[in-house]
Amino acid sequence: AKAKGEGSIEIFDPSMNAQALARFHMDADLRRALERNEFVLHYQPVVGLRTGRIEGFEALVRWRHPERGMVPPLEFIPLAEETGLIVPLGKWVLEEACRQAGEWRRKFPTGQPRLMNVNISARQFQHRDLIHTVLGALHAADLEPGSLKLEITESIMMRDPEASLEAMKVFRSMDIHLVVDDFGTGYSSLGYLKRFPVDTLKIDKSFVEGIGRDPESSAIVAAVISLARSLGMRVTAEGIETQEQMQHLQRLHCDQGQGYHFSRPLPPEAAEALLAQDPRW
Ligand code: C2E
Ligand code: CA
Ligand code: CA
Ligand code: CA
């Protein structure tokens, strides 16, 4: 074993395996990255499938690492969730997404505000400060609450349905919109779904991918759309990559779509350029 230097932290504890050590370093790197402002948001357009216009954006975080380049969220969000760093990181995401939405709202005014969708993780959703964080972010950005949409996965909601219901009611009473993300990949109870004050179901890309290829996926997509309709909710389909998938979803009267067919998630300047043209797909 290594001799410990005066005042050093014992990071060479032999009981710590290589994987734990790697995570230990990664956690420290992430904390430093937050202090150094190395996180950035990319924005993916949410498109009205009937009009072909940009109705909003989903904010997706990336880590602009000084050596590794753009690090995708799946390489650090799970660890940030585990260590709790997701709470301050998620706060930054909310503040930055609201700031950007406020700026675009003033630069490109429309009758209907474009919505900014922000992903909320389990730890964040359970944290009692979330409501204050959200209100603070809206206030600082001078953005109306009706412009913000929080995306919460069905597994998060179902972990403690009663507590989720209470939190969601508070958001709804403030005019903030709620989306059930990754719908179909978890186990929601339809009974609860009816009681949740949710305005949008987002169909996971794993189902959209199978449209026209496997009958199960097509059936699930059709069922989710009709379920949403009968509950008075809107539907967004994510991961639309082809013209065929888009047309299939249009025939089913799916409200909105996202995916590479329309646009990849874009850095702010590129998203703004797209907004300036407001393309119709
Ligand atoms: P998600 O919320 O399900 O986001 C959709 C993911 O699909 C994004 O990956 C997006 O870039 C990708 N995507 C969009 N269109 C297409 C397409 O046509 N085809 C395919 N194959 N993929 C497409 P990304 O940006 O890597 O994010 C992955 C996940 O990381 C997100 O899944 C979300 O769960 C999480 N995440 C991202 N940003 C944040 C954040 O700010 N906070 C939290 N808590 N989680 C985040
Ligand atoms: Ca999402
Ligand atoms: Ca998804
Ligand atoms: Ca997700």
Side-chain angles (χ1 to χ4, degrees), residues 12-247:
F12 295 108
D13 177 348
S15 70
M16 212 187 228
N17 62 34
Q19 205 192 345
L21 189 61
R23 282 153 37 125
F24 177 86
H25 286 305
M26 176 78 163
D27 179 45
D29 287 351
L30 284 173
R31 284 173 198 279
R32 212 173 306 123
L34 190 58
E35 277 164 25
R36 293 181 182 168
N37 224 351
E38 288 175 2
F39 292 101
V40 293
L41 295 183
H42 283 189
Y43 299 94
Q44 186 175 40
V46 179
V47 177
L49 287 183
R50 211 169 47 78
T51 61
R53 305 190 68 156
I54 300 175
E55 296 184 350
F57 289 94
E58 178 175 2
L60 294 156
V61 71
R62 277 97 182 84
W63 177 10
R64 193 165 49 198
H65 193 284
E67 285 123 43
R68 293 166 60 199
M70 283 295 177
V71 181
L74 291 179
E75 287 182 30
F76 60 87
I77 292 278
L79 181 68
E81 266 267 306
E82 235 177 272
T83 62
L85 187 69
I86 193 69
V87 174
L89 175 57
K91 180 170 185 273
W92 178 83
V93 169
L94 271 163
E95 289 167 350
E96 179 58 17
C98 287
R99 190 201 60 73
Q100 185 64 81
E103 187 187 316
W104 284 339
R105 177 100 180 98
R106 287 180 284 277
K107 266 193 190 164
F108 309 101
T110 54
Q112 283 271 52
R114 290 195 178 80
L115 298 181
M116 181 60 81
N117 291 31
V118 176
N119 292 284
I120 302 294
S121 75
R123 279 287 269 274
Q124 249 184 309
F125 189 59
Q126 284 152 2
H127 202 276
R128 60 190 164 71
D129 282 349
L130 181 63
I131 288 159
H132 291 113
T133 300
V134 167
L135 285 178
L138 288 167
H139 183 76
D142 192 16
L143 187 70
E144 62 270 65
S147 299
L148 183 63
K149 245 175 155 166
L150 303 180
E151 300 198 357
I152 302 156
T153 64
E154 60 175 336
S155 34
I156 294 175
M157 288 168 29
M158 293 315 295
R159 208 172 285 181
D160 185 348
E162 289 301 337
S164 299
L165 182 58
E166 287 318 306
M168 293 171 95
K169 278 182 179 163
V170 174
F171 285 118
R172 232 4 251 155
S173 73
M174 303 189 313
D175 199 31
I176 290 165
H177 302 267
L178 299 166
V179 183
V180 184
D181 203 359
D182 295 346
F183 190 74
T185 61
Y187 304 90
S188 11
S189 139
L190 295 183
Y192 270 110
L193 195 60
K194 197 180 82 174
R195 290 171 58 201
F196 285 129
V198 161
D199 11 55
T200 307
L201 296 185
K202 189 180 270 195
I203 304 178
D204 191 64
K205 58 175 178 287
S206 55
F207 303 114
V208 173
E209 199 186 357
I211 287 176
R213 277 206 265 145
D214 68 271
E216 293 83 8
S217 293
S218 305
I220 289 170
V221 168
V224 171
I225 293 172
S226 86
L227 173 71
R229 183 107 324 111
S230 65
L231 292 174
M233 296 173 185
R234 288 160 58 79
V235 198
T236 307
E238 69 171 20
I240 301 175
E241 293 187 354
T242 68
Q243 176 90 6
E244 293 69 46
Q245 289 165 349
M246 181 192 71
Q247 287 171 343

